[in-house]
């Protein structure tokens, strides 16, 4: 609790340019007794109890129904015609992917998208998540902003965003606990594979939790 309070205070004390930049609150976890060559590399996503990444930008590739819903709710949107204009040009598709953190797409378009833009969205790790017609787009985007992913690659250090500087300390704590317990459940020897855990804001110093 003390570490979280310190990190939040340090984030609030830093004023960037004229306006306050809402810094992310991140967990950095170092593993031990894990061989990334031999041991199974894990990957897992979990929804957190409180919205963690309000700045995560999401664009909806919509059919007529979802396109209209986006227009009414001020949500970033594209339609099939916008995708066709990219003409399967790798640079243009990459530029589109770089413009947003994630994409949603109407279920009716999911199979059509690779035919229009080629394999590039998939290669960028930005292939859209499908949305059904009855889905609430705002709720779906909030879910994405509250979901985190742990994926072990070649290094034994993992980092995830569990909150932001304007959150209540109790909400950051709740998100951090859920994240840590979920990661521990993915590890071969659970807590025995955890070397250290730090919490920090985007520009602030790290505070050790474990």
């Amino acid at each position: 609790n003390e570490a979280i309070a310190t990190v939040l205070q340090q984030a609030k004390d830093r004023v960037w340019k004229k306006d306050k930049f809402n810094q992310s609150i991140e967990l950095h976890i170092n593993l031990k007794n894990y061989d990334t060559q031999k041991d199974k590399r894990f990957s897992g996503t979990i929804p957190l109890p409180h919205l963690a990444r309000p700045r995560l930008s999401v664009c909806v590739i919509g059919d007529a129904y979802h396109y209209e819903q986006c227009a009414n709710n001020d949500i970033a949107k594209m339609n099939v015609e916008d995708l066709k204009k990219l003409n399967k040009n790798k640079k243009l598709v990459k530029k589109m992917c770089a413009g947003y953190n994630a994409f949603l797409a109407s279920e009716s378009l999911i199979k059509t998208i690779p035919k229009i833009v080629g394999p590039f969205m998939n290669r960028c790790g930005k292939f859209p998540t499908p949305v059904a017609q009855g889905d609430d787009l705002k709720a779906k985007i909030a879910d994405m902003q509250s979901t985190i992913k742990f994926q072990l690659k070649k290094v034994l250090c993992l980092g995830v965003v569990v909150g932001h500087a304007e959150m209540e300390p109790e909400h950051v704590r709740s998100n951090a606990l859920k994240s840590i317990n979920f990661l521990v459940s993915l590890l071969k020897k659970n807590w025995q594979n955890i070397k250290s855990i730090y919490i920090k804001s985007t520009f602030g110093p790290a505070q050790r939790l474990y």
Side-chain angles (χ1 to χ4, degrees):
N1 274 357
E2 224 172 277
I4 290 169
T6 304
V7 165
L8 287 171
Q9 193 53 53
Q10 285 168 338
K12 282 168 186 165
D13 289 345
R14 303 287 291 261
V15 178
W16 295 90
K17 297 181 180 171
K18 286 178 188 171
D19 54 354
K20 276 196 172 183
F21 171 75
N22 186 10
Q23 296 179 54
S24 296
I25 305 297
E26 307 157 5
L27 281 182
H28 290 267
I29 300 154
N30 298 302
L31 305 181
K32 63 180 181 182
N33 306 330
Y34 226 95
D35 188 332
T36 54
Q37 301 299 319
K38 293 176 189 169
D39 293 327
K40 190 184 172 197
R41 290 191 196 175
F42 55 79
S43 176
T45 57
I46 186 170
L48 299 177
H50 306 283
L51 194 131
R53 300 180 291 168
R55 288 187 296 117
L56 182 98
S57 59
V58 180
C59 179
V60 178
I61 300 168
D63 55 18
Y65 172 81
H66 282 133
Y67 197 84
E68 190 183 344
Q69 226 189 317
C70 290
N72 294 338
N73 288 287
D74 200 24
I75 295 168
K77 62 195 184 301
M78 297 178 87
N79 57 22
V80 169
E81 294 310 310
D82 295 322
L83 295 185
K84 283 179 180 170
K85 286 175 195 165
L86 302 175
N87 210 15
K88 284 192 184 176
N89 180 314
K90 190 177 170 182
K91 277 187 181 171
L92 291 177
V93 178
K94 273 190 167 178
K95 189 179 175 185
M96 174 192 79
C97 289
Y100 300 94
N101 298 118
F103 289 84
L104 289 170
S106 305
E107 269 179 350
S108 56
L109 300 178
I110 282 288
K111 287 181 180 172
T112 319
I113 290 167
K115 292 173 190 167
I116 302 172
V117 298
F120 309 117
M121 284 188 88
N122 216 0
R123 286 182 190 164
C124 294
K126 298 271 181 84
F127 194 77
T129 301
V131 279
Q133 241 188 29
D135 288 347
D136 179 339
L137 289 179
K138 278 191 163 179
K140 202 85 177 169
I141 290 168
D143 285 347
M144 292 177 95
Q145 291 172 329
S146 305
T147 300
I148 58 156
K149 181 177 184 177
F150 283 110
Q151 186 170 14
L152 182 67
K153 294 185 177 174
K154 288 179 183 174
V155 292
L156 291 177
C157 181
L158 299 164
V160 288
V161 173
V162 293
H164 54 89
E166 289 169 12
M167 276 174 94
E168 293 294 324
E170 199 46 50
H171 290 176
V172 176
R173 184 175 178 273
S174 174
N175 278 1
L177 277 175
K178 190 156 188 183
S179 307
I180 294 164
N181 288 331
F182 176 66
L183 173 63
V184 168
S185 76
L186 295 174
L187 298 171
K188 195 174 65 171
K189 292 181 180 172
N190 306 118
W191 280 98
Q192 289 172 34
N193 290 127
I194 301 278
K195 184 181 179 183
S196 60
I197 301 172
Y198 291 87
I199 191 165
K200 69 183 290 300
S201 60
T202 309
F203 303 116
Q207 299 285 329
R208 190 163 185 164
L209 292 178
Y210 177 84

PDB file of all heavy atoms in Angstrom, residues 175-201:
ATOM      1  N   ASN A 175      -6.017  -4.074  -8.898  1.00  0.00           N
ATOM      2  CA  ASN A 175      -5.537  -4.491 -10.221  1.00  0.00           C
ATOM      3  C   ASN A 175      -4.180  -5.188 -10.138  1.00  0.00           C
ATOM      4  O   ASN A 175      -3.937  -6.194 -10.802  1.00  0.00           O
ATOM      5  CB  ASN A 175      -5.424  -3.278 -11.154  1.00  0.00           C
ATOM      6  CG  ASN A 175      -6.748  -2.889 -11.778  1.00  0.00           C
ATOM      7  OD1 ASN A 175      -7.777  -3.509 -11.509  1.00  0.00           O
ATOM      8  ND2 ASN A 175      -6.741  -1.864 -12.613  1.00  0.00           N
ATOM      9  N   ALA A 176      -3.287  -4.614  -9.299  1.00  0.00           N
ATOM     10  CA  ALA A 176      -1.938  -5.179  -9.160  1.00  0.00           C
ATOM     11  C   ALA A 176      -1.999  -6.585  -8.562  1.00  0.00           C
ATOM     12  O   ALA A 176      -1.339  -7.510  -9.053  1.00  0.00           O
ATOM     13  CB  ALA A 176      -1.069  -4.263  -8.300  1.00  0.00           C
ATOM     14  N   LEU A 177      -2.811  -6.755  -7.523  1.00  0.00           N
ATOM     15  CA  LEU A 177      -2.931  -8.078  -6.880  1.00  0.00           C
ATOM     16  C   LEU A 177      -3.472  -9.122  -7.851  1.00  0.00           C
ATOM     17  O   LEU A 177      -2.962 -10.239  -7.931  1.00  0.00           O
ATOM     18  CB  LEU A 177      -3.863  -8.003  -5.665  1.00  0.00           C
ATOM     19  CG  LEU A 177      -3.243  -7.523  -4.357  1.00  0.00           C
ATOM     20  CD1 LEU A 177      -4.316  -7.379  -3.284  1.00  0.00           C
ATOM     21  CD2 LEU A 177      -2.158  -8.482  -3.875  1.00  0.00           C
ATOM     22  N   LYS A 178      -4.498  -8.745  -8.600  1.00  0.00           N
ATOM     23  CA  LYS A 178      -5.089  -9.692  -9.550  1.00  0.00           C
ATOM     24  C   LYS A 178      -4.064 -10.073 -10.620  1.00  0.00           C
ATOM     25  O   LYS A 178      -3.953 -11.235 -11.009  1.00  0.00           O
ATOM     26  CB  LYS A 178      -6.350  -9.106 -10.192  1.00  0.00           C
ATOM     27  CG  LYS A 178      -7.110 -10.148 -10.995  1.00  0.00           C
ATOM     28  CD  LYS A 178      -8.577  -9.841 -11.152  1.00  0.00           C
ATOM     29  CE  LYS A 178      -9.283 -11.029 -11.797  1.00  0.00           C
ATOM     30  NZ  LYS A 178     -10.697 -10.770 -12.055  1.00  0.00           N
ATOM     31  N   SER A 179      -3.298  -9.082 -11.091  1.00  0.00           N
ATOM     32  CA  SER A 179      -2.276  -9.321 -12.120  1.00  0.00           C
ATOM     33  C   SER A 179      -1.190 -10.269 -11.609  1.00  0.00           C
ATOM     34  O   SER A 179      -0.813 -11.233 -12.286  1.00  0.00           O
ATOM     35  CB  SER A 179      -1.616  -8.003 -12.540  1.00  0.00           C
ATOM     36  OG  SER A 179      -2.580  -7.072 -12.912  1.00  0.00           O
ATOM     37  N   ILE A 180      -0.694  -9.972 -10.395  1.00  0.00           N
ATOM     38  CA  ILE A 180       0.397 -10.786  -9.831  1.00  0.00           C
ATOM     39  C   ILE A 180      -0.069 -12.223  -9.585  1.00  0.00           C
ATOM     40  O   ILE A 180       0.615 -13.182  -9.959  1.00  0.00           O
ATOM     41  CB  ILE A 180       0.941 -10.151  -8.528  1.00  0.00           C
ATOM     42  CG1 ILE A 180       1.623  -8.804  -8.842  1.00  0.00           C
ATOM     43  CG2 ILE A 180       1.906 -11.090  -7.809  1.00  0.00           C
ATOM     44  CD1 ILE A 180       1.846  -7.908  -7.634  1.00  0.00           C
ATOM     45  N   ASN A 181      -1.239 -12.376  -8.992  1.00  0.00           N
ATOM     46  CA  ASN A 181      -1.742 -13.723  -8.706  1.00  0.00           C
ATOM     47  C   ASN A 181      -1.990 -14.523  -9.984  1.00  0.00           C
ATOM     48  O   ASN A 181      -1.757 -15.737 -10.038  1.00  0.00           O
ATOM     49  CB  ASN A 181      -3.026 -13.666  -7.872  1.00  0.00           C
ATOM     50  CG  ASN A 181      -2.748 -13.247  -6.443  1.00  0.00           C
ATOM     51  OD1 ASN A 181      -1.667 -13.504  -5.910  1.00  0.00           O
ATOM     52  ND2 ASN A 181      -3.694 -12.574  -5.814  1.00  0.00           N
ATOM     53  N   PHE A 182      -2.431 -13.829 -11.034  1.00  0.00           N
ATOM     54  CA  PHE A 182      -2.651 -14.506 -12.312  1.00  0.00           C
ATOM     55  C   PHE A 182      -1.323 -14.957 -12.905  1.00  0.00           C
ATOM     56  O   PHE A 182      -1.191 -16.090 -13.371  1.00  0.00           O
ATOM     57  CB  PHE A 182      -3.383 -13.575 -13.293  1.00  0.00           C
ATOM     58  CG  PHE A 182      -3.560 -14.162 -14.664  1.00  0.00           C
ATOM     59  CD1 PHE A 182      -4.375 -15.277 -14.863  1.00  0.00           C
ATOM     60  CD2 PHE A 182      -2.917 -13.613 -15.760  1.00  0.00           C
ATOM     61  CE1 PHE A 182      -4.539 -15.829 -16.128  1.00  0.00           C
ATOM     62  CE2 PHE A 182      -3.079 -14.165 -17.025  1.00  0.00           C
ATOM     63  CZ  PHE A 182      -3.892 -15.268 -17.209  1.00  0.00           C
ATOM     64  N   LEU A 183      -0.307 -14.074 -12.868  1.00  0.00           N
ATOM     65  CA  LEU A 183       1.007 -14.460 -13.397  1.00  0.00           C
ATOM     66  C   LEU A 183       1.564 -15.653 -12.631  1.00  0.00           C
ATOM     67  O   LEU A 183       2.072 -16.609 -13.228  1.00  0.00           O
ATOM     68  CB  LEU A 183       1.982 -13.279 -13.332  1.00  0.00           C
ATOM     69  CG  LEU A 183       3.435 -13.636 -13.696  1.00  0.00           C
ATOM     70  CD1 LEU A 183       3.548 -14.109 -15.134  1.00  0.00           C
ATOM     71  CD2 LEU A 183       4.371 -12.459 -13.455  1.00  0.00           C
ATOM     72  N   VAL A 184       1.457 -15.601 -11.306  1.00  0.00           N
ATOM     73  CA  VAL A 184       1.970 -16.701 -10.465  1.00  0.00           C
ATOM     74  C   VAL A 184       1.306 -18.030 -10.859  1.00  0.00           C
ATOM     75  O   VAL A 184       1.959 -19.067 -10.929  1.00  0.00           O
ATOM     76  CB  VAL A 184       1.758 -16.375  -8.961  1.00  0.00           C
ATOM     77  CG1 VAL A 184       2.006 -17.601  -8.087  1.00  0.00           C
ATOM     78  CG2 VAL A 184       2.692 -15.237  -8.538  1.00  0.00           C
ATOM     79  N   SER A 185       0.017 -17.973 -11.201  1.00  0.00           N
ATOM     80  CA  SER A 185      -0.700 -19.193 -11.594  1.00  0.00           C
ATOM     81  C   SER A 185      -0.192 -19.745 -12.932  1.00  0.00           C
ATOM     82  O   SER A 185      -0.347 -20.931 -13.224  1.00  0.00           O
ATOM     83  CB  SER A 185      -2.207 -18.923 -11.679  1.00  0.00           C
ATOM     84  OG  SER A 185      -2.515 -18.201 -12.861  1.00  0.00           O
ATOM     85  N   LEU A 186       0.428 -18.881 -13.758  1.00  0.00           N
ATOM     86  CA  LEU A 186       0.943 -19.328 -15.057  1.00  0.00           C
ATOM     87  C   LEU A 186       2.333 -19.961 -14.940  1.00  0.00           C
ATOM     88  O   LEU A 186       2.766 -20.694 -15.828  1.00  0.00           O
ATOM     89  CB  LEU A 186       1.047 -18.143 -16.035  1.00  0.00           C
ATOM     90  CG  LEU A 186      -0.243 -17.451 -16.478  1.00  0.00           C
ATOM     91  CD1 LEU A 186       0.100 -16.233 -17.325  1.00  0.00           C
ATOM     92  CD2 LEU A 186      -1.134 -18.396 -17.263  1.00  0.00           C
ATOM     93  N   LEU A 187       3.021 -19.657 -13.832  1.00  0.00           N
ATOM     94  CA  LEU A 187       4.410 -20.100 -13.686  1.00  0.00           C
ATOM     95  C   LEU A 187       4.502 -21.562 -13.231  1.00  0.00           C
ATOM     96  O   LEU A 187       3.663 -22.040 -12.469  1.00  0.00           O
ATOM     97  CB  LEU A 187       5.145 -19.207 -12.681  1.00  0.00           C
ATOM     98  CG  LEU A 187       5.255 -17.725 -13.071  1.00  0.00           C
ATOM     99  CD1 LEU A 187       5.797 -16.909 -11.912  1.00  0.00           C
ATOM    100  CD2 LEU A 187       6.137 -17.555 -14.304  1.00  0.00           C
ATOM    101  N   LYS A 188       5.556 -22.207 -13.680  1.00  0.00           N
ATOM    102  CA  LYS A 188       5.764 -23.633 -13.410  1.00  0.00           C
ATOM    103  C   LYS A 188       5.843 -23.927 -11.917  1.00  0.00           C
ATOM    104  O   LYS A 188       5.220 -24.841 -11.413  1.00  0.00           O
ATOM    105  CB  LYS A 188       7.061 -24.062 -14.114  1.00  0.00           C
ATOM    106  CG  LYS A 188       7.250 -25.550 -14.249  1.00  0.00           C
ATOM    107  CD  LYS A 188       8.487 -25.865 -15.074  1.00  0.00           C
ATOM    108  CE  LYS A 188       9.750 -25.400 -14.358  1.00  0.00           C
ATOM    109  NZ  LYS A 188      10.987 -25.864 -15.006  1.00  0.00           N
ATOM    110  N   LYS A 189       6.622 -23.088 -11.205  1.00  0.00           N
ATOM    111  CA  LYS A 189       6.781 -23.304  -9.753  1.00  0.00           C
ATOM    112  C   LYS A 189       6.177 -22.151  -8.950  1.00  0.00           C
ATOM    113  O   LYS A 189       6.602 -21.862  -7.826  1.00  0.00           O
ATOM    114  CB  LYS A 189       8.262 -23.448  -9.415  1.00  0.00           C
ATOM    115  CG  LYS A 189       8.879 -24.740  -9.969  1.00  0.00           C
ATOM    116  CD  LYS A 189      10.343 -24.842  -9.583  1.00  0.00           C
ATOM    117  CE  LYS A 189      10.964 -26.112 -10.127  1.00  0.00           C
ATOM    118  NZ  LYS A 189      12.428 -26.136  -9.915  1.00  0.00           N
ATOM    119  N   ASN A 190       5.182 -21.496  -9.540  1.00  0.00           N
ATOM    120  CA  ASN A 190       4.470 -20.409  -8.878  1.00  0.00           C
ATOM    121  C   ASN A 190       5.407 -19.370  -8.270  1.00  0.00           C
ATOM    122  O   ASN A 190       6.264 -18.852  -8.966  1.00  0.00           O
ATOM    123  CB  ASN A 190       3.486 -20.986  -7.849  1.00  0.00           C
ATOM    124  CG  ASN A 190       2.545 -22.014  -8.489  1.00  0.00           C
ATOM    125  OD1 ASN A 190       2.562 -23.161  -8.115  1.00  0.00           O
ATOM    126  ND2 ASN A 190       1.770 -21.622  -9.481  1.00  0.00           N
ATOM    127  N   TRP A 191       5.267 -19.081  -6.959  1.00  0.00           N
ATOM    128  CA  TRP A 191       6.063 -18.004  -6.327  1.00  0.00           C
ATOM    129  C   TRP A 191       7.558 -18.278  -6.349  1.00  0.00           C
ATOM    130  O   TRP A 191       8.366 -17.352  -6.289  1.00  0.00           O
ATOM    131  CB  TRP A 191       5.598 -17.763  -4.887  1.00  0.00           C
ATOM    132  CG  TRP A 191       4.362 -16.916  -4.830  1.00  0.00           C
ATOM    133  CD1 TRP A 191       3.076 -17.348  -4.691  1.00  0.00           C
ATOM    134  CD2 TRP A 191       4.282 -15.492  -4.962  1.00  0.00           C
ATOM    135  NE1 TRP A 191       2.199 -16.276  -4.715  1.00  0.00           N
ATOM    136  CE2 TRP A 191       2.911 -15.127  -4.878  1.00  0.00           C
ATOM    137  CE3 TRP A 191       5.224 -14.476  -5.132  1.00  0.00           C
ATOM    138  CZ2 TRP A 191       2.470 -13.813  -4.962  1.00  0.00           C
ATOM    139  CZ3 TRP A 191       4.791 -13.153  -5.216  1.00  0.00           C
ATOM    140  CH2 TRP A 191       3.429 -12.835  -5.128  1.00  0.00           C
ATOM    141  N   GLN A 192       7.936 -19.550  -6.468  1.00  0.00           N
ATOM    142  CA  GLN A 192       9.374 -19.872  -6.503  1.00  0.00           C
ATOM    143  C   GLN A 192      10.043 -19.346  -7.777  1.00  0.00           C
ATOM    144  O   GLN A 192      11.268 -19.284  -7.854  1.00  0.00           O
ATOM    145  CB  GLN A 192       9.575 -21.389  -6.404  1.00  0.00           C
ATOM    146  CG  GLN A 192       9.255 -21.947  -5.019  1.00  0.00           C
ATOM    147  CD  GLN A 192       9.283 -23.471  -4.991  1.00  0.00           C
ATOM    148  OE1 GLN A 192      10.073 -24.094  -5.681  1.00  0.00           O
ATOM    149  NE2 GLN A 192       8.410 -24.063  -4.185  1.00  0.00           N
ATOM    150  N   ASN A 193       9.246 -19.013  -8.778  1.00  0.00           N
ATOM    151  CA  ASN A 193       9.803 -18.453 -10.015  1.00  0.00           C
ATOM    152  C   ASN A 193       9.840 -16.925 -10.009  1.00  0.00           C
ATOM    153  O   ASN A 193      10.300 -16.307 -10.968  1.00  0.00           O
ATOM    154  CB  ASN A 193       8.982 -18.912 -11.229  1.00  0.00           C
ATOM    155  CG  ASN A 193       9.141 -20.382 -11.543  1.00  0.00           C
ATOM    156  OD1 ASN A 193       8.162 -21.112 -11.664  1.00  0.00           O
ATOM    157  ND2 ASN A 193      10.374 -20.855 -11.658  1.00  0.00           N
ATOM    158  N   ILE A 194       9.352 -16.298  -8.935  1.00  0.00           N
ATOM    159  CA  ILE A 194       9.361 -14.825  -8.863  1.00  0.00           C
ATOM    160  C   ILE A 194      10.623 -14.354  -8.147  1.00  0.00           C
ATOM    161  O   ILE A 194      10.865 -14.703  -7.001  1.00  0.00           O
ATOM    162  CB  ILE A 194       8.117 -14.285  -8.107  1.00  0.00           C
ATOM    163  CG1 ILE A 194       6.817 -14.731  -8.781  1.00  0.00           C
ATOM    164  CG2 ILE A 194       8.196 -12.759  -7.966  1.00  0.00           C
ATOM    165  CD1 ILE A 194       6.366 -13.932  -9.964  1.00  0.00           C
ATOM    166  N   LYS A 195      11.426 -13.541  -8.844  1.00  0.00           N
ATOM    167  CA  LYS A 195      12.648 -12.996  -8.239  1.00  0.00           C
ATOM    168  C   LYS A 195      12.344 -11.668  -7.548  1.00  0.00           C
ATOM    169  O   LYS A 195      12.737 -11.438  -6.407  1.00  0.00           O
ATOM    170  CB  LYS A 195      13.701 -12.796  -9.334  1.00  0.00           C
ATOM    171  CG  LYS A 195      15.046 -12.321  -8.816  1.00  0.00           C
ATOM    172  CD  LYS A 195      16.005 -12.129  -9.980  1.00  0.00           C
ATOM    173  CE  LYS A 195      17.358 -11.639  -9.495  1.00  0.00           C
ATOM    174  NZ  LYS A 195      18.264 -11.389 -10.644  1.00  0.00           N
ATOM    175  N   SER A 196      11.632 -10.777  -8.254  1.00  0.00           N
ATOM    176  CA  SER A 196      11.288  -9.481  -7.669  1.00  0.00           C
ATOM    177  C   SER A 196      10.117  -8.853  -8.416  1.00  0.00           C
ATOM    178  O   SER A 196       9.877  -9.165  -9.588  1.00  0.00           O
ATOM    179  CB  SER A 196      12.488  -8.525  -7.707  1.00  0.00           C
ATOM    180  OG  SER A 196      12.900  -8.320  -9.052  1.00  0.00           O
ATOM    181  N   ILE A 197       9.398  -7.975  -7.719  1.00  0.00           N
ATOM    182  CA  ILE A 197       8.281  -7.246  -8.329  1.00  0.00           C
ATOM    183  C   ILE A 197       8.419  -5.765  -7.967  1.00  0.00           C
ATOM    184  O   ILE A 197       8.604  -5.422  -6.796  1.00  0.00           O
ATOM    185  CB  ILE A 197       6.910  -7.761  -7.819  1.00  0.00           C
ATOM    186  CG1 ILE A 197       6.741  -9.258  -8.123  1.00  0.00           C
ATOM    187  CG2 ILE A 197       5.764  -6.968  -8.454  1.00  0.00           C
ATOM    188  CD1 ILE A 197       5.507  -9.883  -7.477  1.00  0.00           C
ATOM    189  N   TYR A 198       8.361  -4.921  -8.980  1.00  0.00           N
ATOM    190  CA  TYR A 198       8.432  -3.472  -8.769  1.00  0.00           C
ATOM    191  C   TYR A 198       7.186  -2.814  -9.344  1.00  0.00           C
ATOM    192  O   TYR A 198       6.586  -3.326 -10.287  1.00  0.00           O
ATOM    193  CB  TYR A 198       9.659  -2.875  -9.477  1.00  0.00           C
ATOM    194  CG  TYR A 198      10.973  -3.283  -8.863  1.00  0.00           C
ATOM    195  CD1 TYR A 198      11.616  -4.453  -9.254  1.00  0.00           C
ATOM    196  CD2 TYR A 198      11.584  -2.502  -7.876  1.00  0.00           C
ATOM    197  CE1 TYR A 198      12.826  -4.844  -8.687  1.00  0.00           C
ATOM    198  CE2 TYR A 198      12.797  -2.867  -7.313  1.00  0.00           C
ATOM    199  CZ  TYR A 198      13.411  -4.041  -7.716  1.00  0.00           C
ATOM    200  OH  TYR A 198      14.606  -4.414  -7.142  1.00  0.00           O
ATOM    201  N   ILE A 199       6.822  -1.666  -8.774  1.00  0.00           N
ATOM    202  CA  ILE A 199       5.726  -0.864  -9.318  1.00  0.00           C
ATOM    203  C   ILE A 199       6.262   0.534  -9.574  1.00  0.00           C
ATOM    204  O   ILE A 199       7.077   1.047  -8.803  1.00  0.00           O
ATOM    205  CB  ILE A 199       4.502  -0.855  -8.365  1.00  0.00           C
ATOM    206  CG1 ILE A 199       3.277  -0.246  -9.069  1.00  0.00           C
ATOM    207  CG2 ILE A 199       4.794  -0.128  -7.046  1.00  0.00           C
ATOM    208  CD1 ILE A 199       1.955  -0.513  -8.368  1.00  0.00           C
ATOM    209  N   LYS A 200       5.861   1.145 -10.695  1.00  0.00           N
ATOM    210  CA  LYS A 200       6.364   2.489 -11.013  1.00  0.00           C
ATOM    211  C   LYS A 200       5.375   3.210 -11.926  1.00  0.00           C
ATOM    212  O   LYS A 200       4.538   2.584 -12.573  1.00  0.00           O
ATOM    213  CB  LYS A 200       7.741   2.420 -11.685  1.00  0.00           C
ATOM    214  CG  LYS A 200       7.736   1.840 -13.087  1.00  0.00           C
ATOM    215  CD  LYS A 200       9.138   1.733 -13.658  1.00  0.00           C
ATOM    216  CE  LYS A 200       9.800   3.044 -14.003  1.00  0.00           C
ATOM    217  NZ  LYS A 200       9.108   3.876 -14.995  1.00  0.00           N
ATOM    218  N   SER A 201       5.494   4.530 -11.957  1.00  0.00           N
ATOM    219  CA  SER A 201       4.720   5.306 -12.932  1.00  0.00           C
ATOM    220  C   SER A 201       5.606   5.471 -14.172  1.00  0.00           C
ATOM    221  O   SER A 201       6.798   5.175 -14.138  1.00  0.00           O
ATOM    222  CB  SER A 201       4.334   6.668 -12.354  1.00  0.00           C
ATOM    223  OG  SER A 201       5.497   7.395 -12.017  1.00  0.00           O
TER     224      SER A 201
END
